[in-house]
Amino acid sequence: MPFYIVILGPPGVGKGTQAKILSETNKLAHISSGDLFRENIKNQTELGILVRSFIDKGELVPDGVTIAMIKDRISRPDCEAGAIFDGFPRTPVQADALEKMLTEFKSQVDNVLYITAAESVLVERVSGRWTCRANGHVYHEKFSPPKETGKCDIDGSELYQRDDDKIETVARRIKVYLEQTAPLIDYYHQRGKLVEIDGTKPVEKVTELLLSALKK
Ligand code: AP5
């Protein structure tokens, strides 16, 4: 029976960092809607051209477009054992669509890990983030710096700062999160699936908390 985990939380709280670790330790596919969109933007696909303006403004990509992309992604062979969703769902419409998709696999969302941190922590994390151009590996200039400034430790590619990490766009992303995504906290709480995790701790400690929440 496949196993599906949703990681929920505001911009910059560490969803991607933790989803990557959990996908490696639990041998589950890591599905990041943000990474999928950025990949399409980089490759200038039709989808990338369509979504770019939403992402640059810190707005959500329309539900229909996002749901179609995720539906395609979860039907790939690497998702047979299940997946960790990072950044999806982001609206109640997306959450309903996910339940429907998983029903087709006779499955459901098993756990929702909700990572929290104060806005000042989010801003500090996002403004110090550097991402590798080739494969999206993530660093932080203070908390997890690369060995060599501006260069990825893993593949040697250039590190860049995301366009949507500009301070004014981050403020918009946080507002959009509070308005459109925070209702999912209640959505999953009512379904008995939500576990809240303190995301202000160091990366290793947050991983520990997430793993023990999963064991329960
Ligand atoms: P997306 O890429 O999903 O952005 P986000 O949700 O805003 O999240 P981030 O990627 O900014 O942060 P994160 O929580 O993954 O943190 P990270 O691990 O990198 O989406 C981008 C855009 O795409 C959206 O704004 C929207 O336009 C669109 N989009 C995406 N999904 C969508 C959907 N479902 N529907 C509609 N539109 C959608 O960590 C941040 C930094 O902190 C890093 O530098 C990291 O090294 C550091 N760090 C992490 N954890 C810790 C720790 N514990 N201690 C210290 N530093 C830490």
Side-chain angles (χ1 to χ4, degrees), residues 38 52 58 80 95-96 124 126 133 138 147 154:
R38 281 184 287 280
R52 180 168 201 154
E80 252 166 40
D96 286 341
E124 185 183 26
V126 167
R133 188 79 70 188
V138 172
K147 292 193 187 90
I154 302 164

Side-chain angles (χ1 to χ4, degrees), residues 12 15-17 33 38 59 87 90 94 129 139 173 201:
K15 300 183 295 298
T17 301
S33 41
R38 281 184 287 280
E59 303 295 336
R90 248 176 162 99
Q94 292 183 14
R129 169 169 51 198
Y139 298 85
R173 282 162 58 199
K201 305 256 188 298

Side-chain angles (χ1 to χ4, degrees), residues 9-18 32-35 37-38 54-56 58-63 66 86-91 94 125-126 128-130 138-141 143-144 162 164-165 173 199-204 206:
V13 77
K15 300 183 295 298
T17 301
Q18 297 298 335
S32 159
S33 41
D35 284 352
F37 287 137
R38 281 184 287 280
F54 295 99
I55 294 181
D56 284 352
E59 303 295 336
L60 293 188
V61 172
D63 284 335
T66 307
D86 154 18
F88 180 89
R90 248 176 162 99
T91 63
Q94 292 183 14
R125 287 192 184 165
V126 167
R129 169 169 51 198
W130 289 85
V138 172
Y139 298 85
H140 191 282
E141 58 194 26
F143 304 118
S144 53
R162 276 168 43 180
D164 64 342
D165 281 351
R173 282 162 58 199
T200 56
K201 305 256 188 298
V203 172
E204 302 69 30
V206 177

Side-chain angles (χ1 to χ4, degrees), residues 7 15-16 23 39 45-46 57 61 66 83 122 127 129 133 135 151 156 164 180 188 198 216:
I7 302 200
K15 300 183 295 298
S23 82
E39 191 63 26
T45 66
E46 211 178 305
K57 282 186 266 178
V61 172
T66 307
L122 307 178
S127 56
R129 169 169 51 198
R133 188 79 70 188
N135 294 301
K151 202 167 162 188
D164 64 342
Q180 299 187 51
Y188 283 120
D198 178 3
K216 286 181 206 145

